[in-house]
Amino acid sequence: MDTVLNEAQALQERIRGWRRELHAFPEVGLETPRTEEYLCRQLDAMGAEYRRGVGGHGVAAVVRGELPGRCLMFRCDCDGLPIREESGESFSSQNENMHACGHDAHSAMGLGAVKLLLARRRELKGAVKVLFQPAEEIGAGARAMMADGCLEDPTPDAAFALHVSMGSGENRKAGSFHFIKGAALACMDKFEIDLTGKGSHGAIPELSCDPVVAAGRIVTGLQTIVSRNVCPMCPSVVSVCQFEAGETANVIPETARLVGTARTLWPQTRDLIERRLGEIARLTAESVGVRADVKYTRGAPPLLNDEKVLGAAQKTAAELFGDGEALFVSEPMLAGDDFAFYTEHVPGAMAFLVAPPPDGPAYNMHNCHFRIDDRWLWRGAALFAALAFDWLAKEGE
């Protein structure tokens, strides 16, 4: 354990370098060819085994130990967001996209883990698969890579992922790890409500069937799903994030459109939200003579951390860094992650590495000012590698 820790710490500057180089050219969605090429160059330099072009531009690296055993998988997402960066970092994005969710850091930690594991293949039982996955932000990358066989040759017996975090509540100690038992992240569902009424001059509203009025009532009505239909003990949210209607100040338009997201931790509440959202939209629209067409698209499911995988990761982190650096926290998050698609097939868990910026305010994810302290990323690589040795040794007994 001490050897892995020392070797990871010695890689600190290289891991930071990988992260900062990736940070300068973020790509979005499934179209990440430059990111793929960069990752492959680093893996080639290590002499690593990998398959590129998985599900488009994903990369699946494998470190096969010299001793027989099972397979542990790590997922490291690598896509950015269509956000113009305003962080002020010297290595800021050079295009109109931004790594505003830390995926550059996740990939850098994954590269570090591959290098650490390759150096000690003789001691490794079984194999470690490291997925560098695009399109997490749009919920498409995991399914694309699985459809292209990323869970084959070898087939993983368990999966683990790390996500950088600003911490929560009083638990904001930089470099610490947070572990959430059970339901950790919410589903990532999208809804679209298209309203069709009858337009009119703004001075003659009585001749209209106003879709703007219907849309406003629907926005308000949707808030009652969480406040009056969902159990207060089940964190959930329904957010309208786009409201599109009209083109001029004196014309009531014929159409309006609402788009948003629904999040919850429990499958049964997910069903309830989908049903009530459709009912409220259609009946509210009908009450003012407008038609509502509702489309509800289910994205990644809630992430339910596997108790055994999570416990093993927490134990390894505590042995590496001390009990106070590996904390079980009680607050699940209503953010989502398509890592949950893998855990429908493989027992898995996600943990969080707290890495707020060393100076200035700590902006959360998906913000143009998002920054992290990448001096702590070596700890993530260390946890990946040490967990691989620990878990594979135990599971191979």
Side-chain angles (χ1 to χ4, degrees):
M1 193 72 74
D2 288 342
T3 303
V4 170
L5 197 64
N6 293 335
E7 291 173 354
Q9 194 160 15
L11 272 180
Q12 175 185 356
E13 289 306 312
R14 191 70 196 99
I15 294 170
R16 293 179 76 193
W18 286 325
R19 181 255 165 168
R20 294 184 178 201
E21 288 167 3
L22 283 166
H23 191 88
F25 58 91
E27 296 173 297
V28 299
L30 289 164
E31 296 303 314
T32 57
R34 187 176 174 186
T35 303
E36 176 191 19
E37 184 63 35
Y38 178 89
L39 293 168
C40 291
R41 285 202 310 271
Q42 310 314 314
L43 294 169
D44 283 334
M46 299 177 200
E49 173 191 347
Y50 65 88
R51 181 161 74 96
R52 65 184 301 167
V54 184
H57 294 289
V59 180
V62 180
V63 180
R64 301 181 192 270
E66 296 189 8
L67 302 171
R70 307 184 81 181
C71 176
L72 178 63
M73 184 181 90
F74 299 134
R75 196 293 306 267
C76 304
D77 40 14
C78 62
D79 57 317
L81 286 154
I83 296 173
R84 184 172 182 176
E85 183 164 3
E86 297 181 24
S87 69
E89 297 282 29
S90 61
F91 49 90
S92 289
S93 169
Q94 298 173 13
N95 58 34
E96 293 299 306
N97 302 321
M98 180 184 177
H99 274 297
C101 199
H103 296 186
D104 51 341
H106 305 163
S107 289
M109 291 189 290
L111 288 171
V114 171
K115 189 167 182 64
L116 291 168
L117 291 166
L118 284 171
R120 303 179 67 192
R121 286 181 57 209
R122 291 183 178 180
E123 306 167 41
L124 187 65
K125 290 185 178 180
V128 178
K129 177 173 283 188
V130 182
L131 300 185
F132 298 93
Q133 179 210 301
E136 187 284 321
E137 296 293 359
I138 62 172
R143 287 180 291 186
M145 290 191 72
M146 285 192 292
D148 202 9
C150 75
L151 298 184
E152 303 168 10
D153 188 31
T155 298
D157 297 286
F160 182 67
L162 274 174
H163 203 298
V164 293
S165 166
M166 296 297 108
S168 61
E170 298 179 356
N171 300 314
R172 297 182 181 275
K173 185 177 181 181
S176 65
F177 293 90
H178 290 178
F179 301 86
I180 303 171
K181 293 181 179 180
L185 296 175
C187 63
M188 298 193 300
D189 295 351
K190 177 183 178 181
F191 61 86
E192 302 164 84
I193 303 171
D194 287 291
L195 300 160
T196 304
K198 179 182 177 183
S200 177
H201 194 293
I204 317 172
E206 68 273 17
L207 298 182
S208 74
C209 292
D210 194 339
V212 178
V213 170
R217 290 184 180 181
I218 290 169
V219 170
T220 303
L222 293 182
Q223 306 313 305
T224 65
I225 297 176
V226 173
S227 67
R228 289 297 177 269
N229 299 134
V230 173
C231 171
M233 303 306 292
C234 177
S236 305
V237 68
V238 176
S239 292
V240 177
C241 301
Q242 292 176 258
F243 190 138
E244 303 167 5
E247 297 180 354
T248 187
N250 63 347
V251 176
I252 295 172
E254 184 173 320
T255 62
R257 178 173 168 82
L258 302 173
V259 182
T261 186
R263 308 291 178 107
T264 187
L265 297 171
W266 305 114
Q268 61 270 32
T269 305
R270 191 184 200 185
D271 296 338
L272 182 150
I273 289 174
E274 179 176 2
R275 175 176 59 81
R276 288 295 294 136
L277 189 144
E279 291 171 348
I280 289 170
R282 294 186 185 97
L283 293 173
T284 302
E286 183 182 338
S287 72
V288 291
V290 172
R291 186 181 79 247
D293 296 306
V294 182
K295 181 180 180 182
Y296 191 98
T297 305
R298 295 196 174 202
L303 174 62
L304 308 178
N305 277 335
D306 180 82
E307 182 179 358
K308 188 174 181 181
V309 176
L310 189 75
Q314 189 276 336
K315 181 180 178 182
T316 297
E319 290 174 352
L320 282 172
F321 305 110
D323 291 339
E325 307 285 314
L327 304 174
F328 284 112
V329 297
S330 59
E331 305 94 344
M333 290 184 284
L334 291 180
D337 196 296
D338 79 348
F339 178 69
F341 282 123
Y342 298 114
T343 62
E344 292 184 315
H345 304 275
V346 180
M350 176 181 284
F352 300 87
L353 170 60
V354 180
D359 52 68
Y363 292 94
N364 222 316
M365 298 171 287
H366 293 217
N367 186 291
C368 64
H369 302 289
F370 178 80
R371 298 166 60 226
I372 64 169
D373 187 349
D374 53 19
R375 293 176 299 175
W376 299 105
L377 299 185
W378 69 272
R379 286 194 168 198
L383 178 56
F384 275 144
L387 176 61
F389 285 111
D390 287 352
W391 190 87
L392 290 169
K394 183 177 180 181
E395 291 298 310
E397 292 175 355

